[in-house]
Amino acid sequence: GNDPGQERNEALRDMTLKQFFDTQYFPRHVKVYTRPKSQAKAETMFRNYLGEFHNRKMISITRTDMERMHVALQDRISLYTANRTLALVKHMYNKAIEWGYPARHGNPAVGIKMFKEQSRERFLQPDELQRLFAALDEEPNEVFKNYVLLSLFIGQRRQNMLSMRWSYVDLNLGFVHFPDSKNGEPQRIPLITQAQEILNDMKQYATNEWVFP
């Protein structure tokens, strides 16, 4: 004779933000739908920047609280951190409402304008490229030198480069296969001549499965 939906709604309404994160949001969404690196970021952000709300009932947190937190994080850390933290709270409440949290109480992060972020894209200029390659020519650490050059020639993120195994590399056909990229799709990258030469030299001295052990 009980209404399980109503019981679930009441439980969600009575939860603190930390209880919701630990028992609902992280195991039901973050752990299931995001990559390990994103999981670690969500945990770190929640622990480091939302501590003042951990023991607050979700129903008691207001838009004014979120606006104050947003500004404080910009002043204390950075506008990027402030925006990412606000986005995390907004998504948590959206999922809570989807799972039965009383929608009439709303999402306290909705409607708060994000701080304008400047693009952090940066391209090396021709004179900078010349200095970079000159410095690499003089670099005594051969492993570091090869890492930088191959990162440029293959065009992959740091995590892909550092997790590259020799089994991913086909020097005969001239490509490297990354089975797990950031977007979750495998990638097959052709190797230019300079990259093949470096990998050929490295393979002669390889002692285990990792290109960069």
Side-chain angles (χ1 to χ4, degrees):
N2 296 329
D3 182 348
Q6 183 180 349
E7 292 176 0
R8 184 169 58 250
N9 292 0
E10 290 174 356
L12 282 166
R13 183 176 63 240
D14 202 43
M15 278 187 181
T16 64
L17 195 67
K18 189 174 189 306
Q19 287 172 330
F20 177 74
F21 183 86
D22 290 341
T23 68
Q24 302 294 318
Y25 184 72
F26 192 85
R28 292 179 65 180
H29 174 75
V30 179
K31 196 76 174 174
V32 176
Y33 296 108
T34 67
R35 297 159 64 85
K37 192 173 181 180
S38 297
Q39 294 171 23
K41 283 183 178 179
E43 279 193 298
T44 299
M45 192 178 300
F46 184 81
R47 182 177 64 250
N48 291 347
Y49 307 132
L50 291 169
E52 63 179 301
F53 301 107
H54 281 188
N55 296 321
R56 290 269 302 271
K57 295 287 182 66
M58 292 180 70
I59 206 168
S60 74
I61 298 172
T62 66
R63 176 169 171 163
T64 301
D65 291 327
M66 290 295 99
E67 289 173 335
R68 177 177 50 79
M69 175 209 71
H70 194 215
V71 172
L73 283 176
Q74 181 201 30
D75 295 340
R76 184 164 56 91
I77 310 294
S78 73
L79 60 87
Y80 302 102
T81 296
N83 284 348
R84 298 293 87 72
T85 305
L86 183 66
L88 173 62
V89 175
K90 183 177 180 180
H91 193 258
M92 286 175 64
Y93 272 88
N94 283 341
K95 297 307 291 185
I97 290 169
E98 178 185 326
W99 296 332
Y101 174 82
R104 66 181 179 275
H105 293 296
N107 185 330
V110 165
I112 300 175
K113 190 174 182 180
M114 295 287 190
F115 296 122
K116 186 175 181 180
E117 299 181 12
Q118 297 296 321
S119 173
R120 291 181 286 181
E121 210 168 58
R122 170 76 158 83
F123 297 95
L124 289 178
Q125 300 304 306
D127 63 311
E128 294 173 322
L129 274 174
Q130 291 176 6
R131 296 203 304 273
L132 172 64
F133 284 111
L136 287 172
D137 282 341
E138 298 175 4
E139 172 58 49
N141 186 327
E142 199 70 19
V143 174
F144 177 72
K145 173 182 177 179
N146 290 340
Y147 167 74
V148 174
L149 289 172
L150 286 173
S151 295
L152 290 170
F153 295 149
I154 298 175
Q156 291 294 299
R157 292 179 172 87
R158 178 178 61 183
Q159 188 59 37
N160 275 4
M161 295 302 297
L162 294 180
S163 63
M164 186 164 57
R165 292 173 163 87
W166 284 111
S167 60
Y168 299 175
V169 179
D170 190 325
L171 291 172
N172 294 322
L173 295 180
F175 72 85
V176 58
H177 173 78
F178 292 98
D180 187 23
S181 64
K182 186 177 182 181
N183 63 10
E185 298 292 329
Q187 292 188 71
R188 181 179 167 127
I189 309 296
L191 295 172
I192 64 172
T193 302
Q194 295 96 319
Q196 290 191 63
E197 291 173 352
I198 293 172
L199 287 166
N200 265 316
D201 289 341
M202 293 177 67
K203 187 67 184 284
Q204 297 178 38
Y205 304 101
T207 57
N208 59 47
E209 63 177 315
W210 303 99
V211 176
F212 294 105

